[in-house]
Amino acid sequence: MTNRSGGCACGAIRFTINAPLMNVGVCHCTDCQKASGGGPNYVALAPKTSLSVTKGEAKTYFSKGDSGEDVGRAFCPDCGTPLWSLPPHAPFLTVKLGALDHNADLTPALHLYTASAPPWHLMHEGRPTFPKMPPFPPPGA
């Protein structure tokens, strides 16, 4: 599926992605755990230039990543739905799978920041795991 659409729970934010997703992963970092309410974040990589916001305006929260640089996390200012993240200096953004209208065809290819995962986080057997950020491009990309 080349074009995808998505948005927040209340409908205030809508977006489209007009390029194939590059990979799907599961992030277990502590920031993702806080954003999700405890579990890991399921994300897909999309070229930054492929995202168009078609309704509303997301708010972005910035925090320091492992690199020491700011990572942006976009969310709906009305309902709080996490939408995508903006890694610094990367040509891609990470779209939250839960923000996509259709995600049943997406399967995680890897797990990252597993060093931060509590023992109750589920891991997909046979998928590569990385204690921190994997090399780019990730395996299977």
Side-chain angles (χ1 to χ4, degrees), residues 102-115:
H102 303 286
N103 61 21
D105 61 316
L106 303 173
T107 304
L110 57 88
H111 289 259
L112 58 145
Y113 285 95
T114 57

Side-chain angles (χ1 to χ4, degrees), residues 3-141:
N3 292 320
R4 294 196 183 254
S5 59
C8 65
C10 73
I13 308 287
R14 296 292 302 156
F15 64 87
T16 59
I17 298 170
N18 65 2
L21 298 175
M22 299 156 58
N23 209 338
V24 177
V26 184
C27 185
H28 299 268
C29 78
T30 54
D31 284 343
C32 280
Q33 290 179 53
K34 289 178 183 194
S36 73
N41 247 325
Y42 288 76
V43 298
L45 302 181
K48 279 185 180 174
T49 57
S50 70
L51 179 83
S52 297
V53 177
T54 58
K55 180 181 177 189
E57 187 174 338
K59 184 167 176 135
T60 305
Y61 169 76
F62 289 93
S63 62
K64 296 288 180 205
D66 276 356
S67 68
E69 297 190 58
D70 286 339
V71 176
R73 294 173 183 276
F75 62 95
C76 174
D78 293 334
C79 68
T81 300
L83 301 166
W84 58 82
S85 294
L86 302 160
H89 308 296
F92 59 84
L93 49 89
T94 57
V95 179
K96 312 307 182 190
L97 296 192
L100 296 172
D101 294 337
H102 303 286
N103 61 21
D105 61 316
L106 303 173
T107 304
L110 57 88
H111 289 259
L112 58 145
Y113 285 95
T114 57
S116 302
W120 48 267
H121 274 193
L122 300 176
M123 303 286 172
H124 295 84
E125 192 170 326
R127 302 292 193 270
T129 60
F130 298 89
K132 295 268 183 181
M133 182 63 80
F136 190 78

